[in-house]
């Protein structure tokens, strides 16, 4: 029996010789192609998963740098907006110009709102210091368990809903007690930060004051409804930051995926809540302007 050369047999198989009757050569080739593509796709997905979970300090450093540049870009935009609106280069009238013609009750509303804001910050600070000197509460807040996280979320949401549900005009006493409770809960939540030490906390407080002051100035100089249209995008961004925060709890920060989620939660959260500050400032001003002085609905500075 004649045995052909292996290379010749391969060519004959590629041309279709030796195939069972009824099986087209094209169908066989398409099946083989699909099989190879499927295997290749499976390997690619596995490789992506391994790359995401691979600890790589170089990639983590690059991800962190991207986050820092993102925050720096946001700060540059904010500074540019401050110069643009503050120097009066905008053709629209800002809140500072409109403040000249505000009725006295609008000025009183905005003043009382910011006084309650300052009081909330002071009460939160005192509460945090008190909790930091209570070992039982500090041990509970430092656990990081699901019970602690759930209790913290429930306390914050519940205290906030309680404050909003009480009328400022009809029940001023219970309203202020609920406000004190809410500030105490917020102080309990931030109490673990006291382990960082006094100098670092003081520096962070100054940075926060500078950011809040600068962005509030931007919101005051900008046209009254310039940032009021950001509600929907801010809601989407808040959801993204929240999901990233939850994801970073399950993935170690030494992996590429964990570092990415951490950067989105950290740096994206900084920019997001800075934009929320612009939105909320103009919302306070708008609410103080539009609610009638003698209407059925009363202005509530604590809720604002």
């Amino acid at each position: 029996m004649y045995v052909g050369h292996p290379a010749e047999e391969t060519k004959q198989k590629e041309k279709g010789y030796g195939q069972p009757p009824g099986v087209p050569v094209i169908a066989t080739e398409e099946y083989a192609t699909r099989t190879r593509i499927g295997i290749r796709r499976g390997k690619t997905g596995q490789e992506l998963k391994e790359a995401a979970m691979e600890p790589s300090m170089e990639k983590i450093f690059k991800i962190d740098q991207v986050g820092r540049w993102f925050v720096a870009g946001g700060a540059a935009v904010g500074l540019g907006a401050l110069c643009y609106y503050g120097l009066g280069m905008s053709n629209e009238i800002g809140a500072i110009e409109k403040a000249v013609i505000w009725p006295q009750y609008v000025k009183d509303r905005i003043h009382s709102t910011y006084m309650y804001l300052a009081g909330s910050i002071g009460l939160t600070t005192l509460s945090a210091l008190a909790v930091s000197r209570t070992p039982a509460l500090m041990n509970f807040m430092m656990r990081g368990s699901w019970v602690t996280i759930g209790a913290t979320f429930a306390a914050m949401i519940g205290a906030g809903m309680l404050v909003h549900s009480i009328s400022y005009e009809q029940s001023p006493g219970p309203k202020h007690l609920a406000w004190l409770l809410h500030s105490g809960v917020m102080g309990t939540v931030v109490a673990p930060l006291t382990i960082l030490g006094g100098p670092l906390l003081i520096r962070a407080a100054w940075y926060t004051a500078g950011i809040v002051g600068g962005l509030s100035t931007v919101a005051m100089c900008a046209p009254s409804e310039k940032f009021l249209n950001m509600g929907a995008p801010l809601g989407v961004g808040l959801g993204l930051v929240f999901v990233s925060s939850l994801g970073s709890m399950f993935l170690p920060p030494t992996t590429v995926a964990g570092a990415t989620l951490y950067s989105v939660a950290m740096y994206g959260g900084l920019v997001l809540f800075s934009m929320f500050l612009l939105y909320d400032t103009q919302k306070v001003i708008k609410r103080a302007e539009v609610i009638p002085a003698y209407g059925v609905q009363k202005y509530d500075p604590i809720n604002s």
Side-chain angles (χ1 to χ4, degrees):
M1 184 177 70
Y2 173 74
V3 179
H5 194 272
E8 192 68 27
E9 291 180 0
T10 303
K11 291 181 180 179
Q12 291 179 0
K13 287 181 179 180
E14 290 178 354
K15 292 179 180 179
Y17 300 118
Q19 294 288 337
V23 179
V25 178
I26 297 176
T28 307
E29 290 179 352
E30 288 181 354
Y31 176 78
T33 304
R34 289 198 197 102
T35 304
R36 286 195 298 270
I37 292 175
I39 294 174
R40 196 175 296 120
R41 283 177 180 171
K43 288 183 178 180
T44 304
Q46 184 66 23
E47 289 172 358
L48 289 175
K49 183 178 179 181
E50 292 176 356
M53 300 303 297
E54 177 188 3
S56 175
M57 295 306 297
E58 182 180 356
K59 292 181 181 179
I60 293 173
F61 178 76
K62 289 181 179 179
I63 293 171
D64 186 74
Q65 287 295 107
V66 170
R68 290 174 182 269
W69 279 111
F70 181 65
V71 174
V77 172
L79 183 61
L82 179 60
C83 296
Y84 179 75
Y85 294 119
L87 296 176
M89 291 185 284
S90 174
N91 295 326
E92 302 178 66
I93 299 176
I96 289 182
E97 289 85 357
K98 290 179 66 176
V100 179
I101 59 174
W102 274 342
Q104 186 60 40
Y105 71 89
V106 175
K107 298 178 182 179
D108 293 340
R109 287 173 174 179
I110 295 175
H111 179 264
S112 60
T113 299
Y114 277 93
M115 289 300 293
Y116 276 112
L117 175 62
S120 299
I121 295 173
L123 291 170
T124 300
T125 303
L126 293 176
S127 174
L129 291 175
V131 172
S132 66
R133 298 179 181 179
T134 308
L137 290 175
M138 278 295 287
N139 290 334
F140 178 76
M141 295 303 299
M142 294 289 292
R143 282 180 190 171
S145 63
W146 284 108
V147 176
T148 303
I149 296 172
T152 300
F153 272 100
M156 286 193 297
I157 296 173
M161 293 175 63
L162 179 63
V163 173
H164 279 268
S165 64
I166 301 175
S167 172
Y168 181 80
E169 293 287 335
Q170 299 176 3
S171 304
K175 181 75 172 184
H176 284 80
L177 289 176
W179 171 61
L180 292 173
L181 174 64
H182 183 264
S183 300
V185 170
M186 297 305 295
T188 305
V189 171
V190 301
L193 295 177
T194 56
I195 64 174
L196 298 176
L200 187 59
L201 286 179
I202 292 175
R203 188 189 308 172
W206 280 112
Y207 288 165
T208 304
I211 293 172
V212 171
L215 291 174
S216 297
T217 305
V218 172
M220 289 292 291
C221 295
S224 298
E225 300 183 5
K226 190 69 175 180
F227 302 115
L228 289 179
N229 299 323
M230 299 193 306
L234 289 178
V236 174
L238 181 61
L240 179 62
V241 170
F242 180 72
V243 171
S244 301
S245 300
L246 290 180
S248 62
M249 295 168 59
F250 298 97
L251 295 175
T254 55
T255 61
V256 176
T260 302
L261 292 177
Y262 177 80
S263 295
V264 172
M266 181 69 181
Y267 300 115
L270 282 172
V271 175
L272 176 71
F273 286 105
S274 297
M275 296 174 67
F276 261 114
L277 188 60
L278 297 173
Y279 173 78
D280 290 334
T281 302
Q282 291 202 336
K283 194 173 181 180
V284 167
I285 296 173
K286 188 68 175 178
R287 188 182 291 117
E289 289 177 336
V290 299
I291 295 179
Y294 303 101
V296 177
Q297 182 183 6
K298 302 296 183 181
Y299 182 80
D300 190 331
I302 293 182
N303 285 3
S304 296

